[in-house]
Coordinates of all heavy atoms in Angstrom, one line a residue:
L449 N -22.1 -18.6 -15.6 CA -23.0 -17.7 -15.0 C -24.1 -17.3 -15.9 O -25.1 -16.7 -15.5 CB -22.3 -16.4 -14.5 CG -21.4 -16.7 -13.3 CD1 -20.7 -15.4 -12.9 CD2 -22.1 -17.3 -12.1
E450 N -24.0 -17.6 -17.2 CA -25.0 -17.3 -18.2 C -26.4 -17.9 -17.8 O -27.4 -17.3 -18.1 CB -24.7 -17.9 -19.6 CG -24.2 -16.9 -20.6 CD -23.6 -17.6 -21.8 OE1 -23.9 -18.7 -22.1 OE2 -22.7 -16.9 -22.5
Q451 N -26.3 -19.1 -17.1 CA -27.6 -19.7 -16.7 C -28.2 -19.0 -15.6 O -29.4 -19.3 -15.3 CB -27.2 -21.2 -16.3 CG -26.6 -22.0 -17.4 CD -25.6 -23.0 -16.9 OE1 -25.6 -23.4 -15.7 NE2 -24.7 -23.5 -17.7
E452 N -27.5 -18.1 -14.9 CA -28.1 -17.4 -13.8 C -28.8 -16.1 -14.3 O -28.1 -15.2 -14.5 CB -27.0 -17.1 -12.8 CG -26.2 -18.3 -12.3 CD -27.1 -19.2 -11.4 OE1 -28.0 -18.7 -10.7 OE2 -26.9 -20.5 -11.5
T453 N -30.1 -16.2 -14.4 CA -30.7 -15.0 -15.0 C -30.7 -13.8 -14.1 O -30.9 -12.6 -14.6 CB -32.2 -15.3 -15.3 OG1 -32.8 -15.9 -14.1 CG2 -32.3 -16.3 -16.4
D454 N -30.4 -13.9 -12.8 CA -30.3 -12.8 -11.9 C -28.9 -12.2 -11.8 O -28.7 -11.2 -11.1 CB -30.8 -13.2 -10.5 CG -32.3 -13.4 -10.5 OD1 -33.0 -12.8 -11.3 OD2 -32.7 -14.2 -9.6
I455 N -28.0 -12.8 -12.6 CA -26.6 -12.2 -12.5 C -26.2 -11.7 -13.9 O -26.3 -12.5 -14.9 CB -25.6 -13.3 -12.1 CG1 -25.9 -13.8 -10.6 CG2 -24.2 -12.8 -12.1 CD1 -25.0 -14.8 -10.1
E456 N -25.8 -10.5 -13.9 CA -25.4 -9.8 -15.2 C -23.9 -9.9 -15.1 O -23.3 -9.4 -14.2 CB -25.8 -8.4 -15.1 CG -25.7 -7.6 -16.4 CD -27.1 -7.7 -17.2 OE1 -28.1 -7.4 -16.6 OE2 -27.0 -7.9 -18.4
V457 N -23.2 -10.4 -16.2 CA -21.8 -10.5 -16.2 C -21.2 -9.4 -17.2 O -21.7 -9.3 -18.3 CB -21.3 -11.9 -16.6 CG1 -19.8 -11.9 -16.8 CG2 -21.7 -12.9 -15.6
V458 N -20.2 -8.7 -16.7 CA -19.5 -7.7 -17.6 C -18.1 -8.1 -17.6 O -17.5 -8.3 -16.5 CB -19.7 -6.3 -17.0 CG1 -18.9 -5.3 -17.8 CG2 -21.2 -5.9 -17.1
L459 N -17.5 -8.2 -18.7 CA -16.0 -8.5 -18.8 C -15.2 -7.2 -19.1 O -15.7 -6.4 -19.8 CB -15.8 -9.5 -19.9 CG -16.6 -10.8 -19.9 CD1 -16.1 -11.7 -21.0 CD2 -16.4 -11.5 -18.5
T460 N -14.1 -7.1 -18.5 CA -13.2 -6.0 -18.8 C -12.5 -6.2 -20.2 O -12.1 -5.3 -20.9 CB -12.1 -5.8 -17.8 OG1 -11.4 -7.0 -17.6 CG2 -12.7 -5.3 -16.5
R461 N -12.3 -7.5 -20.5 CA -11.8 -7.9 -21.9 C -12.3 -9.3 -22.2 O -12.5 -10.1 -21.3 CB -10.3 -7.8 -22.0 CG -9.5 -8.8 -21.2 CD -8.0 -8.7 -21.4 NE -7.2 -9.6 -20.6 CZ -6.7 -10.8 -21.1 NH1 -6.9 -11.1 -22.4 NH2 -6.0 -11.6 -20.4
N462 N -12.7 -9.5 -23.4 CA -13.1 -10.8 -23.8 C -12.2 -11.3 -25.0 O -12.6 -12.2 -25.7 CB -14.6 -10.8 -24.2 CG -14.8 -10.0 -25.5 OD1 -13.9 -9.3 -26.0 ND2 -16.0 -10.0 -26.0
D463 N -11.1 -10.7 -25.1 CA -10.1 -11.1 -26.2 C -8.7 -10.7 -25.7 O -8.6 -10.2 -24.6 CB -10.5 -10.5 -27.5 CG -10.5 -8.9 -27.5 OD1 -10.0 -8.4 -26.5 OD2 -11.0 -8.3 -28.4
D464 N -7.8 -10.8 -26.6 CA -6.4 -10.6 -26.3 C -6.1 -9.1 -26.4 O -5.3 -8.7 -27.2 CB -5.5 -11.4 -27.1 CG -4.0 -11.3 -26.7 OD1 -3.8 -10.9 -25.5 OD2 -3.1 -11.6 -27.5
S465 N -6.8 -8.3 -25.7 CA -6.6 -6.8 -25.7 C -6.1 -6.4 -24.3 O -6.2 -7.1 -23.4 CB -7.9 -6.1 -26.1 OG -8.9 -6.4 -25.2
Y466 N -5.7 -5.1 -24.2 CA -5.2 -4.6 -22.9 C -5.9 -3.4 -22.5 O -5.4 -2.3 -22.8 CB -3.6 -4.4 -23.0 CG -3.2 -3.9 -21.6 CD1 -3.1 -4.8 -20.5 CD2 -2.8 -2.6 -21.4 CE1 -2.7 -4.3 -19.3 CE2 -2.4 -2.1 -20.2 CZ -2.3 -3.0 -19.1 OH -1.9 -2.6 -17.9
P467 N -7.0 -3.5 -21.8 CA -7.5 -2.3 -21.2 C -6.5 -1.9 -20.0 O -6.0 -2.8 -19.4 CB -8.8 -2.7 -20.6 CG -9.1 -4.1 -21.1 CD -7.8 -4.7 -21.5
T468 N -6.3 -0.6 -19.9 CA -5.4 -0.2 -18.8 C -6.1 -0.5 -17.5 O -7.3 -0.7 -17.4 CB -5.0 1.3 -18.9 OG1 -6.3 2.0 -18.7 CG2 -4.4 1.7 -20.2
L469 N -5.3 -0.4 -16.4 CA -5.9 -0.7 -15.1 C -7.0 0.4 -14.8 O -8.1 0.0 -14.3 CB -4.8 -0.7 -14.0 CG -3.8 -1.8 -14.2 CD1 -2.7 -1.7 -13.1 CD2 -4.4 -3.2 -14.2
P470 N -6.8 1.7 -15.0 CA -7.9 2.6 -14.8 C -9.1 2.3 -15.6 O -10.2 2.6 -15.2 CB -7.2 4.0 -15.1 CG -5.8 3.8 -14.9 CD -5.5 2.4 -15.3
E471 N -8.9 1.9 -16.8 CA -10.0 1.6 -17.7 C -10.8 0.4 -17.1 O -12.0 0.4 -17.1 CB -9.6 1.2 -19.1 CG -9.2 2.5 -19.9 CD -8.4 2.2 -21.2 OE1 -8.1 1.0 -21.5 OE2 -8.1 3.2 -21.9
R472 N -10.1 -0.6 -16.5 CA -10.8 -1.7 -15.9 C -11.7 -1.3 -14.8 O -12.8 -1.7 -14.6 CB -9.8 -2.8 -15.5 CG -9.1 -3.4 -16.6 CD -7.9 -4.3 -16.2 NE -7.0 -4.5 -17.2 CZ -6.7 -5.7 -17.8 NH1 -7.2 -6.8 -17.3 NH2 -5.8 -5.7 -18.8
V473 N -11.1 -0.4 -14.0 CA -11.9 0.2 -12.8 C -13.1 0.9 -13.3 O -14.2 0.8 -12.8 CB -11.0 1.1 -12.0 CG1 -11.8 1.9 -11.0 CG2 -9.9 0.3 -11.3
K474 N -12.9 1.7 -14.4 CA -14.0 2.5 -14.9 C -15.1 1.7 -15.5 O -16.3 2.0 -15.3 CB -13.4 3.4 -16.0 CG -14.3 4.5 -16.5 CD -13.7 5.8 -16.4 CE -14.7 6.9 -16.7 NZ -14.1 8.2 -16.7
I475 N -14.8 0.6 -16.1 CA -15.8 -0.3 -16.6 C -16.7 -0.8 -15.5 O -17.9 -0.9 -15.5 CB -15.1 -1.5 -17.4 CG1 -14.6 -1.1 -18.7 CG2 -16.1 -2.7 -17.6 CD1 -13.6 -2.0 -19.4
A476 N -16.0 -1.2 -14.3 CA -16.8 -1.6 -13.2 C -17.6 -0.5 -12.6 O -18.8 -0.8 -12.2 CB -15.8 -2.2 -12.1
E477 N -17.1 0.7 -12.5 CA -17.9 1.8 -11.9 C -19.0 2.1 -12.8 O -20.2 2.3 -12.4 CB -17.0 3.0 -11.8 CG -15.8 2.8 -10.8 CD -16.2 2.5 -9.4 OE1 -17.3 2.9 -9.0 OE2 -15.5 1.7 -8.7
N478 N -18.8 2.1 -14.1 CA -19.9 2.5 -15.1 C -21.0 1.4 -15.1 O -22.2 1.7 -15.3 CB -19.4 2.7 -16.5 CG -18.6 3.9 -16.6 OD1 -18.8 4.9 -15.9 ND2 -17.7 4.0 -17.5
A479 N -20.6 0.2 -14.9 CA -21.6 -0.9 -14.8 C -22.3 -1.0 -13.5 O -23.2 -1.8 -13.3 CB -20.9 -2.3 -15.1
K480 N -21.9 -0.1 -12.6 CA -22.4 -0.1 -11.2 C -22.3 -1.5 -10.7 O -23.3 -2.1 -10.1 CB -23.8 0.4 -11.1 CG -23.9 1.9 -11.6 CD -25.3 2.5 -11.3 CE -25.4 4.0 -11.4 NZ -25.0 4.4 -12.8
A481 N -21.2 -2.1 -10.8 CA -21.0 -3.5 -10.5 C -21.2 -3.7 -9.0 O -20.9 -2.9 -8.2 CB -19.6 -4.0 -10.8
D482 N -21.7 -4.9 -8.6 CA -21.9 -5.3 -7.2 C -20.6 -5.9 -6.7 O -20.2 -5.7 -5.5 CB -23.0 -6.3 -7.0 CG -24.3 -5.6 -7.3 OD1 -24.8 -4.8 -6.5 OD2 -24.9 -5.8 -8.4
I483 N -19.9 -6.6 -7.6 CA -18.6 -7.1 -7.2 C -17.6 -7.1 -8.4 O -18.1 -7.2 -9.5 CB -18.6 -8.6 -6.6 CG1 -19.3 -9.5 -7.5 CG2 -19.3 -8.5 -5.2 CD1 -19.3 -11.0 -7.0
F484 N -16.3 -7.2 -8.0 CA -15.3 -7.1 -9.1 C -14.3 -8.3 -8.8 O -13.8 -8.4 -7.7 CB -14.5 -5.8 -9.0 CG -13.4 -5.6 -10.0 CD1 -13.7 -5.0 -11.2 CD2 -12.2 -6.1 -9.7 CE1 -12.6 -4.8 -12.1 CE2 -11.1 -6.0 -10.7 CZ -11.4 -5.3 -11.8
I485 N -14.1 -9.2 -9.8 CA -13.3 -10.3 -9.6 C -12.2 -10.3 -10.6 O -12.5 -10.4 -11.8 CB -14.1 -11.6 -9.7 CG1 -15.4 -11.6 -9.0 CG2 -13.2 -12.9 -9.4 CD1 -15.3 -12.0 -7.5
S486 N -10.9 -10.2 -10.2 CA -9.8 -10.2 -11.2 C -9.1 -11.6 -11.1 O -8.8 -12.0 -10.0 CB -8.9 -9.1 -10.8 OG -7.9 -8.9 -11.8
V487 N -8.9 -12.2 -12.3 CA -8.3 -13.5 -12.3 C -6.9 -13.4 -12.8 O -6.7 -12.8 -13.9 CB -9.2 -14.4 -13.2 CG1 -8.5 -15.8 -13.4 CG2 -10.6 -14.6 -12.6
H488 N -6.0 -14.0 -12.1 CA -4.6 -14.0 -12.4 C -3.9 -15.3 -12.1 O -4.5 -16.2 -11.5 CB -3.8 -12.9 -11.6 CG -4.1 -11.5 -12.0 ND1 -3.1 -10.7 -12.6 CD2 -5.2 -10.7 -11.9 CE1 -3.6 -9.5 -12.9 NE2 -4.9 -9.5 -12.5
A489 N -2.7 -15.5 -12.6 CA -1.9 -16.6 -12.1 C -0.5 -16.0 -11.7 O -0.1 -14.9 -12.2 CB -1.6 -17.6 -13.2

Side-chain angles (χ1 to χ4, degrees):
L449 291 178
E450 256 170 23
Q451 302 148 17
E452 304 293 326
T453 50
D454 287 336
I455 298 180
E456 193 96 45
V457 174
V458 172
L459 304 184
T460 56
R461 67 179 179 102
N462 66 354
D463 58 14
D464 188 19
S465 58
Y466 180 74
T468 63
L469 300 177
E471 282 165 358
R472 294 171 201 241
V473 170
K474 191 125 189 183
I475 287 168
E477 297 300 330
N478 288 334
K480 298 190 168 58
D482 292 285
I483 55 174
F484 180 97
I485 313 277
S486 189
V487 174
H488 285 251

